[in-house]
Amino acid sequence: MTSAPTAPLTVLVGRPRYEGANIRTWIGFKHFIYLVEEAVLQWLRDRGPGARDLFHSHGLGVEIVDCSVQLPAVLEVDDEVRVEVDGESAGRLTVRMTVFRDGREQVVLRGKVRVALVVEPAATTSAPAPAHLADLVVPTLGAAATVARPDHRPIRPGETVADVLTPVGSRSFLWTWRAPYFYCHFSDRVQHSGYVRALEEVVDRFLAARGISVGRLVRERSWIPVVSRARVRMVEAARMEEDVHTVLTVTDVLRGVMFDARMDCYVRRGERLVHTATASILHGYAISAGPQAGELAEFDDEVLRALAGGVA
């Protein structure tokens, strides 16, 4: 078995998708993570084989199972980004994303990524994995999880999903969505980016349900959402077209200008809720107009009450 050719630092040069420019020309956090995914796939190609050949020749599905990012600066439409991926194993990669702005290089993302190669029952060939990737092979997605204690929960007779996930007195927010095929990999399961999309949407739905929707704060206060940190981890496979029960819980308010929240996703199988993903996000607002433009917005009583579980 031959070893992988020695490869230097992987570098991907690209631009964010226009889809991510939702407020003025700023790019949302989801599209930072999309660029990280593209760079990780290039890391595999540089060392060989890439995701296509791993599936068709080895019966293995490439999956990002854990991705954490810090976003110290903004990214805009038309920015040319340089994404560097470093690490000898896809199980432990570090990522750095920069732009050249105002005459200097500026870091816009620092991240860490873990990748697994999942044995795919639907594949028609299954040659042994290349030696330099063999340690990444797992029989199921759950075998690659970085969560030490998955939060699987029983459903007792007479209980509903809401009873279990958001019992009376809970300040958490519950949203259920059907896992569409275009969020999935290999005709089978929700992929990492599907949960990134879910994280963005559940925060949006939570804020609207609490009376402080993104649209309202943009119109009335010129507050625009800012995400400075996010992490999404896969726990178990959620299958195509299963209902994914998603819970968002605000866990902390930091210095009155940011809130920390956790997302947990579950699917019901029989009388059990299987924990399929968990995520965290640090969210705040920047003021986009007026004398305080560019500063972080301070939460007032209305916003604090909404974050604590009331309706603004």
Side-chain angles (χ1 to χ4, degrees):
M1 183 75 68
T2 59
S3 61
T6 301
L9 183 79
T10 286
V11 176
L12 177 78
V13 176
R15 301 181 192 273
R17 299 283 179 87
Y18 194 38
E19 175 198 323
N22 307 125
I23 298 177
R24 298 181 63 168
T25 59
W26 294 299
I27 296 296
F29 84 96
K30 177 177 66 180
H31 285 265
F32 285 78
I33 297 178
Y34 286 177
L35 285 164
V36 169
E37 181 180 75
E38 289 298 322
V40 168
L41 291 174
Q42 188 60 48
W43 184 93
L44 283 168
R45 294 186 199 106
D46 286 349
R47 287 149 185 82
R52 179 184 60 190
D53 289 342
L54 282 166
F55 179 78
H56 288 297
S57 299
H58 302 277
L60 299 172
V62 175
E63 291 288 7
I64 292 176
V65 295
D66 188 350
C67 178
S68 62
V69 296
Q70 294 181 336
L71 310 176
V74 300
L75 189 59
E76 294 195 65
V77 168
D78 295 334
D79 275 341
E80 183 176 85
V81 300
R82 174 185 170 94
V83 191
E84 300 174 352
V85 182
D86 195 13
E88 295 184 2
S89 169
R92 296 174 298 278
L93 296 174
T94 59
V95 183
R96 182 174 180 266
M97 187 184 303
T98 59
V99 298
F100 194 76
R101 185 179 292 151
D102 299 326
R104 63 183 180 88
E105 183 183 77
Q106 184 172 14
V107 176
V108 297
L109 178 147
R110 296 183 183 90
K112 295 182 179 181
V113 180
R114 285 182 176 269
V115 173
L117 303 179
V118 182
V119 174
E120 297 297 339
T124 56
T125 56
S126 56
H132 63 284
L133 298 177
D135 62 328
L136 303 178
V137 177
V138 291
T140 64
L141 181 66
T146 61
V147 176
R149 296 179 180 175
D151 185 29
H152 306 311
R153 302 191 189 188
I155 301 179
R156 296 176 177 84
E159 287 185 324
T160 65
V161 169
D163 292 335
V164 176
L165 297 179
T166 52
V168 175
S170 170
R171 295 180 177 180
S172 297
F173 173 77
L174 174 63
W175 164 55
T176 297
W177 50 283
R178 173 181 172 274
Y181 79 91
F182 46 85
Y183 278 25
C184 294
H185 269 162
F186 307 108
S187 310
D188 180 39
R189 60 185 176 270
V190 177
Q191 59 183 281
H192 185 272
S193 66
Y195 289 114
V196 175
R197 296 185 195 189
L199 178 59
E200 180 181 56
E201 185 163 355
V202 75
V203 171
D204 179 69
R205 287 174 175 271
F206 164 80
L207 295 172
R210 296 294 189 262
I212 53 169
S213 72
V214 170
R216 180 193 163 201
L217 295 188
V218 168
R219 290 189 301 270
E220 297 181 4
R221 304 190 184 196
S222 297
W223 287 14
I224 60 173
V226 174
V227 173
S228 58
R229 184 181 71 226
R231 183 181 187 184
V232 177
R233 293 184 285 171
M234 309 258 266
V235 181
E236 291 281 356
R239 304 298 179 191
M240 183 188 298
E241 298 184 353
E242 283 191 298
D243 287 335
V244 183
H245 307 289
T246 303
V247 179
L248 188 81
T249 306
V250 174
T251 57
D252 201 3
V253 175
L254 305 177
R255 303 186 304 277
V257 295
M258 303 288 285
F259 69 88
D260 220 337
R262 186 183 72 248
M263 177 187 82
D264 290 288
C265 296
Y266 306 83
V267 296
R268 181 171 185 169
R269 294 183 184 142
E271 300 310 308
R272 187 169 181 248
L273 287 172
V274 176
H275 194 199
T276 63
T278 187
S280 60
I281 188 168
L282 185 61
H283 188 290
Y285 300 90
I287 301 172
S288 63
Q292 293 181 295
E295 298 180 11
L296 284 176
E298 293 188 16
F299 299 161
D300 58 15
D301 288 344
E302 179 187 28
V303 172
L304 290 171
R305 185 168 62 250
L307 294 176
V311 177

